[in-house]
């Protein structure tokens, strides 16, 4: 009887192996997006439009805080994968342990601060008197699980680096199912409203963060294990600089979400915020495919970069670009065809809101054609330990282009132009990403 050989990040990757290795990460991100949508579904349908708008108002605030987990995960993964490629396993484990312990301390501090300043954050985000009590309640309950949420983001990257992407997927499934069941029980059955959805989220985050923490603390068959470490300021600095683009991207997305909500409230009203919330839920599923692929392939790129394997870097780059471009075309077609159906799931109870959501979604969906290349381009430079270029791409895309357009376009063309902003942003970012890829092709030799 023969057993299937496990795929290693040191392997040569053809299309079949590349898809097989990144598939758990892609499924993990899709599933994360789906169970995130469940909150919105239950709150919207069982608590009403006002609590649903309050949830959407505070979600960017929560994402800004949790983005630190993304930074440590993606930045630390790039550094640890490179050390593994250089055959420095002991140092890789020391860095992995240091990053994890540091994140736990940061998570606790941020959770306390988030609880204290939740009212100020809600006002800053534009919560009206009607939305304010719901917004504060939702944010404060979520602080109970914030450290675990950060750890969940961290271990999603390191389980792939440890060549256990399937485990990362199943842990996410466990967390998601926990969230879905509790959403149904607490919101639909017990009628706890927004607080029920918040507690369901917290408990699911504890599942997603604590299980992998226990796994890495105990003896396991992977190259990574949490243990003794020593202070290494340079490793922390490199982790933060490598992952800065992910932090900026997530933080900027949250800031952009705040601005979107503010502009939507001003130009369209509460229905605009609710419609944007639905579009974001759907967007998370589609963009989750791109982020999942980037997350899955990044440790492989980092390993071969550390091993100075230029031929495999070229192979990974070429195959990845072909897969991403093809996927972009397919996803855009699917998104356009299903816009009405997906909008009806969330806001079918209100014909006016349904029409607004469907119209906005069909414009927004065109961005999927270009989004994949932009996500991969940023992840590529992070994996190559070039946080500066990755951060530059993220800042231009998520801050300079998007913020300026959100502030200016509705003044010139009216509130409905808000739906087209992301399409223009992704187009501009695509041109810049191509320039950066071509500029550094000879230095890294991935083309």
């Amino acid at each position: 009887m023969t057993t299937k050989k496990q795929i290693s990040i040191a392997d040569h990757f053809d299309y079949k192996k590349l898809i097989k290795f990144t598939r758990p990460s892609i499924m993990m991100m899709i599933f994360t997006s789906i169970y995130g949508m469940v909150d919105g579904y239950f709150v919207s349908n069982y608590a009403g439009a006002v609590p649903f708008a309050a949830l959407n108002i505070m979600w960017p605030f929560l994402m800004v805080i949790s983005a630190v987990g993304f930074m440590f995960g993606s930045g630390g993964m790039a550094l640890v994968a490179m050390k593994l490629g250089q055959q420095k396993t002991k140092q890789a484990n020391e860095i992995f342990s240091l990053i994890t312990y540091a994140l736990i301390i940061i998570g606790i501090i941020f959770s306390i601060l988030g609880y204290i300043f939740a009212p100020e954050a809600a006002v800053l985000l534009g919560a009206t008197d009607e939305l304010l009590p719901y917004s504060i309640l939702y944010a404060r309950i979520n602080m109970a699980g914030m450290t675990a949420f950060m750890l969940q983001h961290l271990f999603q990257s390191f389980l792939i680096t440890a060549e256990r992407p399937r485990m990362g997927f199943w842990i996410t499934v466990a967390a998601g199912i926990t969230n879905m069941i509790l959403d149904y029980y607490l919101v639909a059955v017990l009628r706890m409203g927004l607080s029920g959805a918040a507690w369901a989220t917290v408990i699911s985050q504890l599942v997603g963060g604590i299980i992998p923490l226990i796994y890495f603390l105990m003896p396991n068959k992977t190259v990574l294990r949490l243990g003794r470490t020593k202070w290494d300021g340079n490793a922390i600095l490199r982790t933060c600089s490598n992952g800065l683009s992910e932090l900026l991207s997530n933080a900027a997305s949250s800031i952009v979400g705040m601005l979107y909500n503010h502009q939507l409230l001003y130009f369209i009203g509460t229905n605009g915020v609710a419609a944007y919330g639905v579009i974001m839920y759907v967007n998370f599923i589609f963009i989750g495919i791109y982020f999942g692929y980037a997350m899955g392939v990044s440790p492989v790129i980092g390993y071969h970069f550390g091993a100075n394997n230029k031929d495999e870097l070229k192979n990974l780059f070429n195959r990845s670009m072909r897969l991403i471009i093809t996927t972009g075309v397919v996803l855009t077609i699917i998104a356009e065809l299903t816009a009405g159906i997906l909008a009806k799931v969330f806001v079918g109870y209100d014909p006016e809101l349904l029409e607004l959501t469907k119209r906005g979604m069909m414009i927004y969906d065109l961005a999927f054609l270009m989004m994949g290349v932009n996500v991969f381009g940023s992840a590529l430079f992070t994996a190559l330990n070039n946080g500066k270029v990755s951060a530059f791409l993220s800042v231009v895309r998520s801050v300079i282009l998007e913020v300026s357009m959100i502030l200016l376009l509705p003044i010139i063309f009216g509130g409905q132009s808000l739906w087209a902003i992301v399409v223009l942003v992704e187009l501009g970012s695509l041109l810049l990403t191509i320039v950066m890829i071509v500029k550094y092709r000879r230095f890294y030799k991935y083309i």
Side-chain angles (χ1 to χ4, degrees), residues 183-220:
D183 264 329
Y184 169 75
Y185 183 67
L186 297 179
V187 182
V189 178
L190 297 185
R191 298 288 177 172
M192 290 176 63
L194 189 59
S195 64
W199 281 117
T201 299
V202 167
I203 295 169
S204 71
Q205 289 167 349
L206 292 173
V207 172
I210 301 302
I211 291 177
L213 176 64
I214 294 172
Y215 174 77
F216 281 117
L217 282 170
M218 297 177 67
N220 62 72

Side-chain angles (χ1 to χ4, degrees), residues 57-76:
I57 283 284
M58 292 311 293
W59 191 248
F61 172 65
L62 301 175
M63 289 298 100
V64 166
I65 299 175
S66 68
V68 178
F70 279 111
M71 178 179 71
F72 273 67
S74 57

Side-chain angles (χ1 to χ4, degrees), residues 181-423:
I181 293 172
L182 290 176
D183 264 329
Y184 169 75
Y185 183 67
L186 297 179
V187 182
V189 178
L190 297 185
R191 298 288 177 172
M192 290 176 63
L194 189 59
S195 64
W199 281 117
T201 299
V202 167
I203 295 169
S204 71
Q205 289 167 349
L206 292 173
V207 172
I210 301 302
I211 291 177
L213 176 64
I214 294 172
Y215 174 77
F216 281 117
L217 282 170
M218 297 177 67
N220 62 72
K221 296 181 180 179
T222 74
V223 293
L224 295 180
R225 185 185 173 190
L226 291 170
R228 292 184 178 183
T229 188
K230 57 186 177 182
W231 175 252
D232 186 343
N234 182 57
I236 293 293
L237 183 62
R238 291 190 66 180
T239 294
C240 294
S241 62
N242 286 342
L244 184 61
S245 63
E246 276 66 28
L247 173 66
L248 290 173
S249 180
N250 282 276
S253 295
S254 301
I255 294 170
V256 164
M258 300 174 198
L259 290 174
Y260 256 116
N261 286 329
H262 180 272
Q263 295 290 72
L264 287 164
L265 279 171
Y266 181 80
F267 285 97
I268 300 177
T270 303
N271 271 0
V273 176
Y276 178 66
V278 174
I279 293 172
M280 285 301 97
Y281 283 128
V282 176
N283 170 69
F284 290 153
I285 294 179
F286 288 93
I287 197 173
I289 295 173
Y290 297 133
F291 277 115
Y293 181 83
M295 183 185 294
V297 78
S298 289
V300 184
I301 293 173
Y303 180 92
H304 288 285
F305 172 65
N308 199 33
N309 189 348
K310 297 296 190 296
D311 288 338
E312 188 59 22
L313 281 179
K314 292 177 184 177
N315 173 61
L316 290 166
F317 177 84
N318 290 331
R319 293 184 190 276
S320 293
M321 288 298 289
R322 293 184 190 120
L323 285 172
I324 288 166
I325 292 170
T326 303
T327 301
V329 175
V330 174
L331 286 184
T332 303
I333 294 172
I334 293 173
E336 289 293 314
L337 293 176
T338 60
I341 298 171
L342 293 171
K344 194 172 184 179
V345 170
F346 286 91
V347 292
Y349 55 83
D350 186 329
E352 182 182 349
L353 180 55
L354 173 62
E355 181 58 31
L356 175 66
T357 304
K358 179 183 175 182
R359 185 168 63 249
M361 196 178 292
M362 292 192 72
I363 298 171
Y364 188 103
D365 289 346
L366 297 174
F368 296 136
L369 275 171
M370 301 155 283
M371 201 176 281
V373 176
N374 295 331
V375 170
F376 176 73
S378 181
L380 171 68
F381 288 106
T382 296
L384 295 171
N385 282 259
N386 191 333
K388 291 181 180 180
V389 173
S390 185
F392 172 68
L393 291 173
S394 295
V395 167
V396 172
R397 177 188 179 206
S398 303
V399 180
I400 297 175
L401 289 177
E402 200 152 14
V403 170
S404 60
M405 288 189 184
I406 290 172
L407 294 175
L408 295 176
L409 252 64
I411 296 175
I412 301 171
F413 300 105
Q416 294 300 324
S417 66
L418 286 163
W419 311 124
I421 287 172
V422 70
V423 181

Side-chain angles (χ1 to χ4, degrees), residues 29-40:
M29 294 302 295
I30 293 174
F31 193 80
T32 300
S33 303
I34 291 173
Y35 86 71
M37 291 172 64
V38 172
D39 271 347

